[in-house]
Amino acid sequence: MRGMTIKKIMFTEEELGGIVSELADKINSDLCGAESLTVLCVLKGAVMFTADLVRRLNVPDIRIEFIRASSYGKSDVSSGEVSVGDATGDIRGRDVLVVEDIIDTGRTLNSLKERLLNMRPKSLRFCGLFDKPSRRIADFKADYVGAVIPDEFIVGYGLDYAECYRHLPYVAVIELNS
Ligand code: IMP
Ligand code: MG
């Protein structure tokens, strides 16, 4: 693995908390009166975000499920090939909220959407913590976006570079040293 240095902090732990709270407020008002919800966390990047988000949702019966998706492999450039695992749990007839760390080319959520619609949920919404719209290739628009960011590679709060740095409590821009 090439060396890496933190170039700058994009979002502090406190700022991330604010972003997640705002998203939860919006989702709560849209789901007002809903009895149940399946939150589908896209592994691995959305793990921290999902954990923080679900604790702020007001729906009485929330099920948390997981799905594995990856498009990057071990690089910081999307391979263009999306691999999506089998979703845990049965979403047929349920209101589903897919929680993803970042929307980049849009390929991951685009292929996931197709896959999930075949499973006949009652409703399907997508929430991305971060969005890099300038990089979009597939036509995909999330229902909820925490923060729109420029085309920079970020790590922390679940996001990785070659499986590292997911544990950082903040989100940082990295610089790769060759
Ligand atoms: P997409 O299919 O190109 O939209 O890819 C989305 C996936 O790429 C995300 O779930 C992340 O795993 C990964 N990704 C995209 N941008 C970044 C980044 O800046 N840092 C870390 N992972 C990223
Ligand atoms: Mg991911």
Side-chain angles (χ1 to χ4, degrees), residues 101-138:
D101 53 359
I102 185 165
I103 308 156
D104 187 38
T105 64
R107 286 175 178 137
T108 304
L109 291 188
N110 221 28
S111 55
L112 187 56
K113 185 176 182 181
E114 206 173 298
R115 183 86 86 84
L116 295 175
L117 284 174
N118 284 332
M119 296 167 82
R120 305 263 169 261
K122 183 174 159 201
S123 70
L124 185 60
R125 291 181 175 88
F126 289 84
C127 175
L129 178 57
F130 302 114
D131 190 2
K132 288 191 216 174
S134 63
R135 303 236 327 142
R136 201 72 92 251
I137 291 170

PDB file of all heavy atoms in Angstrom, residues 101-138:
ATOM      1  N   ASP A 101     -22.663   5.184   2.569  1.00  0.00           N
ATOM      2  CA  ASP A 101     -21.701   6.190   3.021  1.00  0.00           C
ATOM      3  C   ASP A 101     -21.555   7.342   2.029  1.00  0.00           C
ATOM      4  O   ASP A 101     -21.638   8.503   2.402  1.00  0.00           O
ATOM      5  CB  ASP A 101     -20.331   5.552   3.322  1.00  0.00           C
ATOM      6  CG  ASP A 101     -19.763   4.724   2.168  1.00  0.00           C
ATOM      7  OD1 ASP A 101     -20.422   4.605   1.116  1.00  0.00           O
ATOM      8  OD2 ASP A 101     -18.657   4.181   2.332  1.00  0.00           O
ATOM      9  N   ILE A 102     -21.325   6.984   0.753  1.00  0.00           N
ATOM     10  CA  ILE A 102     -21.066   8.040  -0.223  1.00  0.00           C
ATOM     11  C   ILE A 102     -21.532   7.606  -1.610  1.00  0.00           C
ATOM     12  O   ILE A 102     -21.410   6.428  -1.963  1.00  0.00           O
ATOM     13  CB  ILE A 102     -19.564   8.423  -0.217  1.00  0.00           C
ATOM     14  CG1 ILE A 102     -19.263   9.608  -1.124  1.00  0.00           C
ATOM     15  CG2 ILE A 102     -18.674   7.246  -0.564  1.00  0.00           C
ATOM     16  CD1 ILE A 102     -17.892  10.239  -0.865  1.00  0.00           C
ATOM     17  N   ILE A 103     -22.097   8.549  -2.340  1.00  0.00           N
ATOM     18  CA  ILE A 103     -22.523   8.260  -3.707  1.00  0.00           C
ATOM     19  C   ILE A 103     -21.533   8.953  -4.636  1.00  0.00           C
ATOM     20  O   ILE A 103     -21.331  10.165  -4.552  1.00  0.00           O
ATOM     21  CB  ILE A 103     -23.961   8.766  -3.966  1.00  0.00           C
ATOM     22  CG1 ILE A 103     -24.897   8.232  -2.882  1.00  0.00           C
ATOM     23  CG2 ILE A 103     -24.425   8.330  -5.354  1.00  0.00           C
ATOM     24  CD1 ILE A 103     -26.129   9.069  -2.696  1.00  0.00           C
ATOM     25  N   ASP A 104     -20.909   8.160  -5.468  1.00  0.00           N
ATOM     26  CA  ASP A 104     -19.817   8.639  -6.302  1.00  0.00           C
ATOM     27  C   ASP A 104     -20.252   8.532  -7.765  1.00  0.00           C
ATOM     28  O   ASP A 104     -20.966   9.406  -8.254  1.00  0.00           O
ATOM     29  CB  ASP A 104     -18.599   7.775  -5.948  1.00  0.00           C
ATOM     30  CG  ASP A 104     -17.316   8.225  -6.594  1.00  0.00           C
ATOM     31  OD1 ASP A 104     -17.092   9.428  -6.714  1.00  0.00           O
ATOM     32  OD2 ASP A 104     -16.527   7.351  -6.985  1.00  0.00           O
ATOM     33  N   THR A 105     -19.902   7.455  -8.451  1.00  0.00           N
ATOM     34  CA  THR A 105     -20.380   7.300  -9.827  1.00  0.00           C
ATOM     35  C   THR A 105     -21.878   6.994  -9.847  1.00  0.00           C
ATOM     36  O   THR A 105     -22.534   7.201 -10.868  1.00  0.00           O
ATOM     37  CB  THR A 105     -19.650   6.152 -10.553  1.00  0.00           C
ATOM     38  OG1 THR A 105     -19.974   4.922  -9.900  1.00  0.00           O
ATOM     39  CG2 THR A 105     -18.147   6.367 -10.562  1.00  0.00           C
ATOM     40  N   GLY A 106     -22.405   6.477  -8.756  1.00  0.00           N
ATOM     41  CA  GLY A 106     -23.816   6.118  -8.679  1.00  0.00           C
ATOM     42  C   GLY A 106     -24.082   4.673  -9.088  1.00  0.00           C
ATOM     43  O   GLY A 106     -25.206   4.195  -8.992  1.00  0.00           O
ATOM     44  N   ARG A 107     -23.037   3.986  -9.511  1.00  0.00           N
ATOM     45  CA  ARG A 107     -23.234   2.612 -10.004  1.00  0.00           C
ATOM     46  C   ARG A 107     -23.685   1.661  -8.908  1.00  0.00           C
ATOM     47  O   ARG A 107     -24.531   0.800  -9.140  1.00  0.00           O
ATOM     48  CB  ARG A 107     -21.931   2.076 -10.601  1.00  0.00           C
ATOM     49  CG  ARG A 107     -21.589   2.672 -11.952  1.00  0.00           C
ATOM     50  CD  ARG A 107     -20.229   2.136 -12.329  1.00  0.00           C
ATOM     51  NE  ARG A 107     -19.780   2.571 -13.621  1.00  0.00           N
ATOM     52  CZ  ARG A 107     -18.535   2.981 -13.859  1.00  0.00           C
ATOM     53  NH1 ARG A 107     -17.653   3.033 -12.885  1.00  0.00           N
ATOM     54  NH2 ARG A 107     -18.180   3.341 -15.064  1.00  0.00           N
ATOM     55  N   THR A 108     -23.106   1.818  -7.721  1.00  0.00           N
ATOM     56  CA  THR A 108     -23.439   0.894  -6.633  1.00  0.00           C
ATOM     57  C   THR A 108     -24.928   0.952  -6.308  1.00  0.00           C
ATOM     58  O   THR A 108     -25.619  -0.067  -6.326  1.00  0.00           O
ATOM     59  CB  THR A 108     -22.618   1.221  -5.363  1.00  0.00           C
ATOM     60  OG1 THR A 108     -21.238   1.187  -5.695  1.00  0.00           O
ATOM     61  CG2 THR A 108     -22.903   0.238  -4.250  1.00  0.00           C
ATOM     62  N   LEU A 109     -25.420   2.159  -6.051  1.00  0.00           N
ATOM     63  CA  LEU A 109     -26.827   2.265  -5.642  1.00  0.00           C
ATOM     64  C   LEU A 109     -27.767   1.998  -6.809  1.00  0.00           C
ATOM     65  O   LEU A 109     -28.882   1.512  -6.610  1.00  0.00           O
ATOM     66  CB  LEU A 109     -27.100   3.613  -4.982  1.00  0.00           C
ATOM     67  CG  LEU A 109     -26.428   3.783  -3.616  1.00  0.00           C
ATOM     68  CD1 LEU A 109     -26.902   5.055  -2.938  1.00  0.00           C
ATOM     69  CD2 LEU A 109     -26.687   2.586  -2.694  1.00  0.00           C
ATOM     70  N   ASN A 110     -27.310   2.304  -8.006  1.00  0.00           N
ATOM     71  CA  ASN A 110     -28.129   1.999  -9.176  1.00  0.00           C
ATOM     72  C   ASN A 110     -28.363   0.493  -9.317  1.00  0.00           C
ATOM     73  O   ASN A 110     -29.496   0.051  -9.517  1.00  0.00           O
ATOM     74  CB  ASN A 110     -27.411   2.522 -10.419  1.00  0.00           C
ATOM     75  CG  ASN A 110     -28.360   3.158 -11.386  1.00  0.00           C
ATOM     76  OD1 ASN A 110     -29.398   3.667 -10.995  1.00  0.00           O
ATOM     77  ND2 ASN A 110     -28.001   3.120 -12.648  1.00  0.00           N
ATOM     78  N   SER A 111     -27.306  -0.289  -9.168  1.00  0.00           N
ATOM     79  CA  SER A 111     -27.519  -1.733  -9.320  1.00  0.00           C
ATOM     80  C   SER A 111     -28.205  -2.319  -8.096  1.00  0.00           C
ATOM     81  O   SER A 111     -28.997  -3.251  -8.209  1.00  0.00           O
ATOM     82  CB  SER A 111     -26.228  -2.480  -9.673  1.00  0.00           C
ATOM     83  OG  SER A 111     -25.261  -2.209  -8.726  1.00  0.00           O
ATOM     84  N   LEU A 112     -27.946  -1.712  -6.935  1.00  0.00           N
ATOM     85  CA  LEU A 112     -28.637  -2.174  -5.733  1.00  0.00           C
ATOM     86  C   LEU A 112     -30.144  -1.905  -5.831  1.00  0.00           C
ATOM     87  O   LEU A 112     -30.968  -2.743  -5.446  1.00  0.00           O
ATOM     88  CB  LEU A 112     -28.045  -1.464  -4.511  1.00  0.00           C
ATOM     89  CG  LEU A 112     -28.506  -1.919  -3.148  1.00  0.00           C
ATOM     90  CD1 LEU A 112     -28.287  -3.407  -2.958  1.00  0.00           C
ATOM     91  CD2 LEU A 112     -27.767  -1.149  -2.054  1.00  0.00           C
ATOM     92  N   LYS A 113     -30.487  -0.759  -6.377  1.00  0.00           N
ATOM     93  CA  LYS A 113     -31.893  -0.371  -6.509  1.00  0.00           C
ATOM     94  C   LYS A 113     -32.656  -1.390  -7.358  1.00  0.00           C
ATOM     95  O   LYS A 113     -33.738  -1.854  -6.975  1.00  0.00           O
ATOM     96  CB  LYS A 113     -31.980   1.014  -7.165  1.00  0.00           C
ATOM     97  CG  LYS A 113     -33.375   1.580  -7.256  1.00  0.00           C
ATOM     98  CD  LYS A 113     -33.336   2.982  -7.822  1.00  0.00           C
ATOM     99  CE  LYS A 113     -34.725   3.590  -7.882  1.00  0.00           C
ATOM    100  NZ  LYS A 113     -34.684   4.944  -8.452  1.00  0.00           N
ATOM    101  N   GLU A 114     -32.045  -1.748  -8.471  1.00  0.00           N
ATOM    102  CA  GLU A 114     -32.659  -2.727  -9.360  1.00  0.00           C
ATOM    103  C   GLU A 114     -32.898  -4.048  -8.614  1.00  0.00           C
ATOM    104  O   GLU A 114     -33.976  -4.623  -8.664  1.00  0.00           O
ATOM    105  CB  GLU A 114     -31.690  -2.966 -10.515  1.00  0.00           C
ATOM    106  CG  GLU A 114     -32.316  -3.429 -11.802  1.00  0.00           C
ATOM    107  CD  GLU A 114     -31.244  -3.453 -12.887  1.00  0.00           C
ATOM    108  OE1 GLU A 114     -30.686  -2.389 -13.210  1.00  0.00           O
ATOM    109  OE2 GLU A 114     -30.951  -4.572 -13.369  1.00  0.00           O
ATOM    110  N   ARG A 115     -31.856  -4.468  -7.910  1.00  0.00           N
ATOM    111  CA  ARG A 115     -31.919  -5.711  -7.159  1.00  0.00           C
ATOM    112  C   ARG A 115     -33.011  -5.671  -6.087  1.00  0.00           C
ATOM    113  O   ARG A 115     -33.793  -6.610  -5.920  1.00  0.00           O
ATOM    114  CB  ARG A 115     -30.543  -5.936  -6.522  1.00  0.00           C
ATOM    115  CG  ARG A 115     -30.380  -7.203  -5.756  1.00  0.00           C
ATOM    116  CD  ARG A 115     -29.988  -8.351  -6.642  1.00  0.00           C
ATOM    117  NE  ARG A 115     -28.553  -8.410  -6.825  1.00  0.00           N
ATOM    118  CZ  ARG A 115     -27.714  -8.990  -5.971  1.00  0.00           C
ATOM    119  NH1 ARG A 115     -28.167  -9.530  -4.855  1.00  0.00           N
ATOM    120  NH2 ARG A 115     -26.433  -9.029  -6.210  1.00  0.00           N
ATOM    121  N   LEU A 116     -33.082  -4.558  -5.364  1.00  0.00           N
ATOM    122  CA  LEU A 116     -34.040  -4.467  -4.260  1.00  0.00           C
ATOM    123  C   LEU A 116     -35.475  -4.345  -4.750  1.00  0.00           C
ATOM    124  O   LEU A 116     -36.393  -4.880  -4.133  1.00  0.00           O
ATOM    125  CB  LEU A 116     -33.681  -3.294  -3.343  1.00  0.00           C
ATOM    126  CG  LEU A 116     -32.336  -3.431  -2.612  1.00  0.00           C
ATOM    127  CD1 LEU A 116     -32.025  -2.162  -1.839  1.00  0.00           C
ATOM    128  CD2 LEU A 116     -32.316  -4.637  -1.683  1.00  0.00           C
ATOM    129  N   LEU A 117     -35.666  -3.634  -5.870  1.00  0.00           N
ATOM    130  CA  LEU A 117     -37.029  -3.495  -6.399  1.00  0.00           C
ATOM    131  C   LEU A 117     -37.607  -4.854  -6.779  1.00  0.00           C
ATOM    132  O   LEU A 117     -38.811  -5.084  -6.621  1.00  0.00           O
ATOM    133  CB  LEU A 117     -37.049  -2.541  -7.603  1.00  0.00           C
ATOM    134  CG  LEU A 117     -36.937  -1.053  -7.256  1.00  0.00           C
ATOM    135  CD1 LEU A 117     -36.809  -0.198  -8.519  1.00  0.00           C
ATOM    136  CD2 LEU A 117     -38.114  -0.571  -6.403  1.00  0.00           C
ATOM    137  N   ASN A 118     -36.737  -5.754  -7.235  1.00  0.00           N
ATOM    138  CA  ASN A 118     -37.187  -7.121  -7.547  1.00  0.00           C
ATOM    139  C   ASN A 118     -37.693  -7.858  -6.323  1.00  0.00           C
ATOM    140  O   ASN A 118     -38.405  -8.849  -6.449  1.00  0.00           O
ATOM    141  CB  ASN A 118     -36.039  -7.932  -8.171  1.00  0.00           C
ATOM    142  CG  ASN A 118     -35.810  -7.538  -9.611  1.00  0.00           C
ATOM    143  OD1 ASN A 118     -36.736  -7.095 -10.288  1.00  0.00           O
ATOM    144  ND2 ASN A 118     -34.579  -7.676 -10.071  1.00  0.00           N
ATOM    145  N   MET A 119     -37.277  -7.387  -5.136  1.00  0.00           N
ATOM    146  CA  MET A 119     -37.706  -8.047  -3.899  1.00  0.00           C
ATOM    147  C   MET A 119     -39.023  -7.476  -3.380  1.00  0.00           C
ATOM    148  O   MET A 119     -39.474  -7.840  -2.301  1.00  0.00           O
ATOM    149  CB  MET A 119     -36.598  -7.929  -2.849  1.00  0.00           C
ATOM    150  CG  MET A 119     -35.328  -8.662  -3.269  1.00  0.00           C
ATOM    151  SD  MET A 119     -33.898  -8.248  -2.241  1.00  0.00           S
ATOM    152  CE  MET A 119     -34.171  -9.319  -0.845  1.00  0.00           C
ATOM    153  N   ARG A 120     -39.643  -6.591  -4.167  1.00  0.00           N
ATOM    154  CA  ARG A 120     -40.972  -6.041  -3.883  1.00  0.00           C
ATOM    155  C   ARG A 120     -41.161  -5.409  -2.502  1.00  0.00           C
ATOM    156  O   ARG A 120     -42.070  -5.795  -1.751  1.00  0.00           O
ATOM    157  CB  ARG A 120     -42.056  -7.125  -4.075  1.00  0.00           C
ATOM    158  CG  ARG A 120     -42.034  -7.774  -5.446  1.00  0.00           C
ATOM    159  CD  ARG A 120     -43.048  -7.133  -6.379  1.00  0.00           C
ATOM    160  NE  ARG A 120     -42.844  -7.579  -7.750  1.00  0.00           N
ATOM    161  CZ  ARG A 120     -42.185  -6.856  -8.672  1.00  0.00           C
ATOM    162  NH1 ARG A 120     -41.691  -5.681  -8.382  1.00  0.00           N
ATOM    163  NH2 ARG A 120     -42.048  -7.317  -9.891  1.00  0.00           N
ATOM    164  N   PRO A 121     -40.323  -4.419  -2.158  1.00  0.00           N
ATOM    165  CA  PRO A 121     -40.594  -3.692  -0.913  1.00  0.00           C
ATOM    166  C   PRO A 121     -41.847  -2.823  -1.088  1.00  0.00           C
ATOM    167  O   PRO A 121     -42.233  -2.528  -2.222  1.00  0.00           O
ATOM    168  CB  PRO A 121     -39.347  -2.823  -0.741  1.00  0.00           C
ATOM    169  CG  PRO A 121     -38.826  -2.629  -2.130  1.00  0.00           C
ATOM    170  CD  PRO A 121     -39.185  -3.872  -2.904  1.00  0.00           C
ATOM    171  N   LYS A 122     -42.438  -2.394   0.026  1.00  0.00           N
ATOM    172  CA  LYS A 122     -43.593  -1.487  -0.055  1.00  0.00           C
ATOM    173  C   LYS A 122     -43.123  -0.121  -0.551  1.00  0.00           C
ATOM    174  O   LYS A 122     -43.761   0.512  -1.375  1.00  0.00           O
ATOM    175  CB  LYS A 122     -44.216  -1.362   1.338  1.00  0.00           C
ATOM    176  CG  LYS A 122     -45.466  -0.520   1.394  1.00  0.00           C
ATOM    177  CD  LYS A 122     -46.038  -0.617   2.803  1.00  0.00           C
ATOM    178  CE  LYS A 122     -46.952   0.543   3.120  1.00  0.00           C
ATOM    179  NZ  LYS A 122     -47.081   0.710   4.576  1.00  0.00           N
ATOM    180  N   SER A 123     -41.980   0.353  -0.010  1.00  0.00           N
ATOM    181  CA  SER A 123     -41.373   1.593  -0.491  1.00  0.00           C
ATOM    182  C   SER A 123     -39.871   1.456  -0.362  1.00  0.00           C
ATOM    183  O   SER A 123     -39.377   0.648   0.433  1.00  0.00           O
ATOM    184  CB  SER A 123     -41.884   2.800   0.312  1.00  0.00           C
ATOM    185  OG  SER A 123     -41.369   2.753   1.629  1.00  0.00           O
ATOM    186  N   LEU A 124     -39.142   2.244  -1.167  1.00  0.00           N
ATOM    187  CA  LEU A 124     -37.685   2.148  -1.165  1.00  0.00           C
ATOM    188  C   LEU A 124     -37.100   3.552  -1.238  1.00  0.00           C
ATOM    189  O   LEU A 124     -37.358   4.295  -2.188  1.00  0.00           O
ATOM    190  CB  LEU A 124     -37.239   1.321  -2.382  1.00  0.00           C
ATOM    191  CG  LEU A 124     -35.755   0.987  -2.509  1.00  0.00           C
ATOM    192  CD1 LEU A 124     -35.244   0.187  -1.316  1.00  0.00           C
ATOM    193  CD2 LEU A 124     -35.510   0.207  -3.813  1.00  0.00           C
ATOM    194  N   ARG A 125     -36.361   3.924  -0.191  1.00  0.00           N
ATOM    195  CA  ARG A 125     -35.710   5.237  -0.161  1.00  0.00           C
ATOM    196  C   ARG A 125     -34.213   5.047   0.028  1.00  0.00           C
ATOM    197  O   ARG A 125     -33.782   4.088   0.659  1.00  0.00           O
ATOM    198  CB  ARG A 125     -36.246   6.073   0.996  1.00  0.00           C
ATOM    199  CG  ARG A 125     -37.688   6.527   0.853  1.00  0.00           C
ATOM    200  CD  ARG A 125     -38.036   7.371   2.081  1.00  0.00           C
ATOM    201  NE  ARG A 125     -39.357   7.968   2.009  1.00  0.00           N
ATOM    202  CZ  ARG A 125     -40.464   7.385   2.418  1.00  0.00           C
ATOM    203  NH1 ARG A 125     -40.434   6.157   2.918  1.00  0.00           N
ATOM    204  NH2 ARG A 125     -41.624   8.024   2.341  1.00  0.00           N
ATOM    205  N   PHE A 126     -33.442   6.022  -0.472  1.00  0.00           N
ATOM    206  CA  PHE A 126     -31.983   5.958  -0.374  1.00  0.00           C
ATOM    207  C   PHE A 126     -31.444   7.179   0.349  1.00  0.00           C
ATOM    208  O   PHE A 126     -31.830   8.310   0.039  1.00  0.00           O
ATOM    209  CB  PHE A 126     -31.359   5.870  -1.777  1.00  0.00           C
ATOM    210  CG  PHE A 126     -31.602   4.548  -2.440  1.00  0.00           C
ATOM    211  CD1 PHE A 126     -32.795   4.313  -3.116  1.00  0.00           C
ATOM    212  CD2 PHE A 126     -30.667   3.530  -2.348  1.00  0.00           C
ATOM    213  CE1 PHE A 126     -33.042   3.083  -3.709  1.00  0.00           C
ATOM    214  CE2 PHE A 126     -30.900   2.294  -2.941  1.00  0.00           C
ATOM    215  CZ  PHE A 126     -32.096   2.070  -3.622  1.00  0.00           C
ATOM    216  N   CYS A 127     -30.552   6.918   1.288  1.00  0.00           N
ATOM    217  CA  CYS A 127     -29.930   7.990   2.051  1.00  0.00           C
ATOM    218  C   CYS A 127     -28.411   7.857   1.960  1.00  0.00           C
ATOM    219  O   CYS A 127     -27.844   6.831   2.348  1.00  0.00           O
ATOM    220  CB  CYS A 127     -30.380   7.873   3.509  1.00  0.00           C
ATOM    221  SG  CYS A 127     -29.582   9.042   4.608  1.00  0.00           S
ATOM    222  N   GLY A 128     -27.758   8.887   1.440  1.00  0.00           N
ATOM    223  CA  GLY A 128     -26.290   8.881   1.378  1.00  0.00           C
ATOM    224  C   GLY A 128     -25.748   9.958   2.298  1.00  0.00           C
ATOM    225  O   GLY A 128     -26.233  11.093   2.282  1.00  0.00           O
ATOM    226  N   LEU A 129     -24.761   9.615   3.094  1.00  0.00           N
ATOM    227  CA  LEU A 129     -24.171  10.616   3.976  1.00  0.00           C
ATOM    228  C   LEU A 129     -23.461  11.686   3.150  1.00  0.00           C
ATOM    229  O   LEU A 129     -23.617  12.881   3.391  1.00  0.00           O
ATOM    230  CB  LEU A 129     -23.186   9.956   4.946  1.00  0.00           C
ATOM    231  CG  LEU A 129     -22.438  10.879   5.907  1.00  0.00           C
ATOM    232  CD1 LEU A 129     -23.392  11.700   6.764  1.00  0.00           C
ATOM    233  CD2 LEU A 129     -21.494  10.070   6.795  1.00  0.00           C
ATOM    234  N   PHE A 130     -22.715  11.244   2.143  1.00  0.00           N
ATOM    235  CA  PHE A 130     -22.012  12.184   1.263  1.00  0.00           C
ATOM    236  C   PHE A 130     -22.375  11.914  -0.184  1.00  0.00           C
ATOM    237  O   PHE A 130     -22.724  10.794  -0.554  1.00  0.00           O
ATOM    238  CB  PHE A 130     -20.492  12.061   1.433  1.00  0.00           C
ATOM    239  CG  PHE A 130     -20.025  12.303   2.825  1.00  0.00           C
ATOM    240  CD1 PHE A 130     -19.452  11.286   3.568  1.00  0.00           C
ATOM    241  CD2 PHE A 130     -20.187  13.558   3.405  1.00  0.00           C
ATOM    242  CE1 PHE A 130     -19.041  11.500   4.870  1.00  0.00           C
ATOM    243  CE2 PHE A 130     -19.776  13.786   4.715  1.00  0.00           C
ATOM    244  CZ  PHE A 130     -19.196  12.749   5.450  1.00  0.00           C
ATOM    245  N   ASP A 131     -22.270  12.965  -0.989  1.00  0.00           N
ATOM    246  CA  ASP A 131     -22.562  12.857  -2.419  1.00  0.00           C
ATOM    247  C   ASP A 131     -21.509  13.642  -3.194  1.00  0.00           C
ATOM    248  O   ASP A 131     -21.192  14.775  -2.834  1.00  0.00           O
ATOM    249  CB  ASP A 131     -23.968  13.434  -2.693  1.00  0.00           C
ATOM    250  CG  ASP A 131     -24.446  13.126  -4.113  1.00  0.00           C
ATOM    251  OD1 ASP A 131     -23.732  12.447  -4.866  1.00  0.00           O
ATOM    252  OD2 ASP A 131     -25.555  13.588  -4.457  1.00  0.00           O
ATOM    253  N   LYS A 132     -20.930  12.999  -4.225  1.00  0.00           N
ATOM    254  CA  LYS A 132     -19.996  13.680  -5.125  1.00  0.00           C
ATOM    255  C   LYS A 132     -20.652  13.731  -6.510  1.00  0.00           C
ATOM    256  O   LYS A 132     -20.336  12.909  -7.379  1.00  0.00           O
ATOM    257  CB  LYS A 132     -18.698  12.870  -5.259  1.00  0.00           C
ATOM    258  CG  LYS A 132     -17.778  12.848  -4.077  1.00  0.00           C
ATOM    259  CD  LYS A 132     -16.436  12.234  -4.530  1.00  0.00           C
ATOM    260  CE  LYS A 132     -15.813  11.399  -3.462  1.00  0.00           C
ATOM    261  NZ  LYS A 132     -14.604  10.694  -3.905  1.00  0.00           N
ATOM    262  N   PRO A 133     -21.596  14.655  -6.703  1.00  0.00           N
ATOM    263  CA  PRO A 133     -22.372  14.657  -7.960  1.00  0.00           C
ATOM    264  C   PRO A 133     -21.514  14.877  -9.209  1.00  0.00           C
ATOM    265  O   PRO A 133     -21.877  14.423 -10.286  1.00  0.00           O
ATOM    266  CB  PRO A 133     -23.373  15.805  -7.772  1.00  0.00           C
ATOM    267  CG  PRO A 133     -22.896  16.577  -6.603  1.00  0.00           C
ATOM    268  CD  PRO A 133     -22.023  15.707  -5.782  1.00  0.00           C
ATOM    269  N   SER A 134     -20.364  15.518  -9.050  1.00  0.00           N
ATOM    270  CA  SER A 134     -19.505  15.789 -10.208  1.00  0.00           C
ATOM    271  C   SER A 134     -18.927  14.510 -10.812  1.00  0.00           C
ATOM    272  O   SER A 134     -18.437  14.512 -11.927  1.00  0.00           O
ATOM    273  CB  SER A 134     -18.357  16.716  -9.805  1.00  0.00           C
ATOM    274  OG  SER A 134     -17.538  16.080  -8.842  1.00  0.00           O
ATOM    275  N   ARG A 135     -18.986  13.411 -10.059  1.00  0.00           N
ATOM    276  CA  ARG A 135     -18.419  12.148 -10.531  1.00  0.00           C
ATOM    277  C   ARG A 135     -19.473  11.185 -11.085  1.00  0.00           C
ATOM    278  O   ARG A 135     -19.167  10.051 -11.472  1.00  0.00           O
ATOM    279  CB  ARG A 135     -17.688  11.453  -9.375  1.00  0.00           C
ATOM    280  CG  ARG A 135     -16.603  12.311  -8.765  1.00  0.00           C
ATOM    281  CD  ARG A 135     -15.271  11.644  -8.782  1.00  0.00           C
ATOM    282  NE  ARG A 135     -15.372  10.206  -8.633  1.00  0.00           N
ATOM    283  CZ  ARG A 135     -14.590   9.351  -9.283  1.00  0.00           C
ATOM    284  NH1 ARG A 135     -13.681   9.782 -10.114  1.00  0.00           N
ATOM    285  NH2 ARG A 135     -14.731   8.049  -9.062  1.00  0.00           N
ATOM    286  N   ARG A 136     -20.719  11.618 -11.111  1.00  0.00           N
ATOM    287  CA  ARG A 136     -21.803  10.699 -11.471  1.00  0.00           C
ATOM    288  C   ARG A 136     -21.688  10.160 -12.892  1.00  0.00           C
ATOM    289  O   ARG A 136     -21.468  10.912 -13.833  1.00  0.00           O
ATOM    290  CB  ARG A 136     -23.160  11.390 -11.285  1.00  0.00           C
ATOM    291  CG  ARG A 136     -24.298  10.422 -11.138  1.00  0.00           C
ATOM    292  CD  ARG A 136     -24.319   9.687  -9.786  1.00  0.00           C
ATOM    293  NE  ARG A 136     -25.121  10.369  -8.799  1.00  0.00           N
ATOM    294  CZ  ARG A 136     -24.596  11.007  -7.756  1.00  0.00           C
ATOM    295  NH1 ARG A 136     -23.304  11.045  -7.556  1.00  0.00           N
ATOM    296  NH2 ARG A 136     -25.388  11.611  -6.902  1.00  0.00           N
ATOM    297  N   ILE A 137     -21.834   8.853 -13.027  1.00  0.00           N
ATOM    298  CA  ILE A 137     -21.879   8.200 -14.343  1.00  0.00           C
ATOM    299  C   ILE A 137     -23.263   7.585 -14.536  1.00  0.00           C
ATOM    300  O   ILE A 137     -23.923   7.819 -15.530  1.00  0.00           O
ATOM    301  CB  ILE A 137     -20.783   7.109 -14.465  1.00  0.00           C
ATOM    302  CG1 ILE A 137     -19.399   7.781 -14.506  1.00  0.00           C
ATOM    303  CG2 ILE A 137     -20.996   6.260 -15.717  1.00  0.00           C
ATOM    304  CD1 ILE A 137     -18.243   6.820 -14.385  1.00  0.00           C
ATOM    305  N   ALA A 138     -23.704   6.807 -13.552  1.00  0.00           N
ATOM    306  CA  ALA A 138     -25.046   6.223 -13.605  1.00  0.00           C
ATOM    307  C   ALA A 138     -26.052   7.291 -13.172  1.00  0.00           C
ATOM    308  O   ALA A 138     -25.735   8.164 -12.373  1.00  0.00           O
ATOM    309  CB  ALA A 138     -25.118   5.022 -12.684  1.00  0.00           C
TER     310      ALA A 138
END
